[in-house]
Amino acid sequence: MNNKFLVTTVLFMMCSFVFSQNVDEEMIRGRAVSKVAQLNDYISFMASKKKSVENRLYYKEKALNLFIGKGYMYEENGVEKEGVVLEVASKLKKKG
C-alpha cells in the first residue's frame, strides 16, 4: 500500500511540475508576443510623418522603456553593458 501511495504521489508531483512549466512557457511566450507587438506599434508611430516631432519622440521614449536600461548603459552581474540604440529610418527611395 505504501509503495502505491509513494508512486502515485511522485507521479502527481512530476505531472504538476511539467504542467506548471508548460503554463509558465505559454505565459512567457504570450508576454513576448505582446511586447513585440507594442514595439512594432511604437515604431510605426515614430515613422509616421503625420505625427509631430514631439509625438514621435514620445513614442521613441515609450519604445526604449521596453528594454533593459531604457536605452542607457546598465550593469548586469557586475558587467557594464551598453544600452539599446533605437533609430527609425526609411529605406524607400524617392523617384526623381
Side-chain angles (χ1 to χ4, degrees):
M1 177 79 175
N2 285 338
N3 284 341
K4 287 182 181 180
F5 178 75
L6 181 62
V7 170
T8 304
T9 303
V10 169
L11 285 174
F12 176 75
M13 289 174 59
M14 288 173 54
C15 290
S16 297
F17 179 73
V18 169
F19 178 74
S20 73
Q21 275 190 320
N22 289 339
V23 170
D24 290 344
E25 287 176 12
E26 287 300 317
M27 288 174 56
I28 291 169
R29 187 174 293 119
R31 184 152 169 85
V33 167
S34 172
K35 292 299 179 181
V36 168
Q38 247 183 328
L39 179 61
N40 191 35
D41 287 344
Y42 293 153
I43 289 172
S44 296
F45 296 147
M46 285 186 282
S48 174
K49 293 185 180 187
K50 296 177 184 176
K51 302 212 181 285
S52 68
V53 172
E54 293 83 17
N55 202 319
R56 293 162 90 180
L57 289 173
Y58 169 79
Y59 284 109
K60 179 180 179 182
E61 190 69 28
K62 296 288 279 181
L64 286 171
N65 286 336
L66 296 173
F67 295 94
I68 296 173
K70 299 180 180 178
Y72 299 103
M73 290 183 70
Y74 64 97
E75 187 177 315
E76 184 177 61
N77 296 328
V79 177
E80 284 193 14
K81 299 197 176 190
E82 291 187 33
V84 172
V85 177
L86 185 62
E87 295 180 9
V88 178
S90 174
K91 290 187 178 185
L92 299 176
K93 294 182 181 178
K94 293 183 180 178
K95 293 184 179 181

